Amino acid sequence: MIYLNGEWMPIEKAMVPVLDRGFIFGDGVYEVIPCYSGHPFRLREHLTRLQSSLDGVRIDNPYSLARWDELVREMVVKNPMDDQYVYLQVTRGVAPRDHAFPKGAKPTVFIMSNPLTTPPQEQRERGVAAVSAADNRWLRCDIKSVSLLANCLLRQVAVDASAAEVVLLRDGRLTEGSASNIFLVRNGVIITPPKTNFILPGITYDVVIELARANRLPLEIRQVSETEVRDADELWLTSSTKEVLSISTLDGIPVGHGSAAGKPGPVAAQMHQLYQDYKRTVMRAPVKA
Ligand code: PDD
């Protein structure tokens, strides 16, 4: 069952008018919330980011935080899959085509859930290939907008090169992936770029930083040069659906040095384990916590 503008229905029955500004202009925002054994992961944080995205594009939030919370939990109950990700989207609504904001349009709210398949063990053990690309997206990458054309084009660059993700560089600096944040390890130090308008403030990014701090792992949040990316000992991508996943080659060149090159490194393995342990504490929590 999906949720569309106040009604629950099978996805085949869900229809949006062609003049919806999400369809015409990509004028909307979204969230992807992983749910493990029926427990939404970091729901409050996802809903807070939704509010920031709505503020960023000047759409009034159609629901209260409590209502969103209820809807996401209802979605999980109605779709009893073990692990799933709830996708929710708010657009500016339906109006005659005009770039300027329509007066009195009602935001369109759509929520669905899909099975969540985290990377298989084989991928975790071997890592995935990535290619670099120039980050040619707009300057508000901090907004989780449904206007994802640039991200789709960039992801396809990776797919065309038989790679899983692109590592984006803007003016000689690392930003993020097409649908993930990027971390690297150099001389035992975990390094990732700061939250600016150039990257999406990832929820997984936050969890990884919290876990690094809680476990006293050396961490630097700072600008990262392209040279550092190419010379990293370890390179990881993080997202709600991929969790913490090692990148084993960048542009066909093995990541890392010496005999460890091209294989996921020890810090990635440690962080992956910390992430799994943390997830388990969340999954044991009472559903309404
Ligand atoms: N993408 N950066 C971009 C551009 C993203 O699209 C995503 C997530 C992330 C990681 O954010 P989080 O840890 O909150 O998932 C970073 C989601 C999964 C998607 O679009 O499907």
Side-chain angles (χ1 to χ4, degrees), residues 30-32 46 49 85 137 141 144 148 151 176-181 199-205 238-241:
Y30 76 106
E31 274 299 322
V32 172
H46 279 280
R49 185 172 66 184
Y85 70 90
R137 300 173 303 162
C141 299
K144 204 162 170 59
L148 287 172
N151 301 61
E176 57 179 346
S178 70
S180 59
N181 291 109
I199 71 167
L200 185 82
I203 305 298
T204 320
Y205 167 103
T238 70
S239 82
S240 293
T241 48

Side-chain angles (χ1 to χ4, degrees), residues 143-177:
I143 297 173
K144 204 162 170 59
S145 159
V146 297
S147 309
L148 287 172
L149 180 56
N151 301 61
C152 295
L153 291 169
L154 288 164
R155 169 60 72 79
Q156 194 58 36
V157 169
V159 172
D160 291 346
S162 304
E165 182 56 299
V166 278
V167 171
L168 299 175
L169 299 158
R170 194 190 282 269
D171 300 328
R173 285 173 164 177
L174 170 67
T175 54
E176 57 179 346

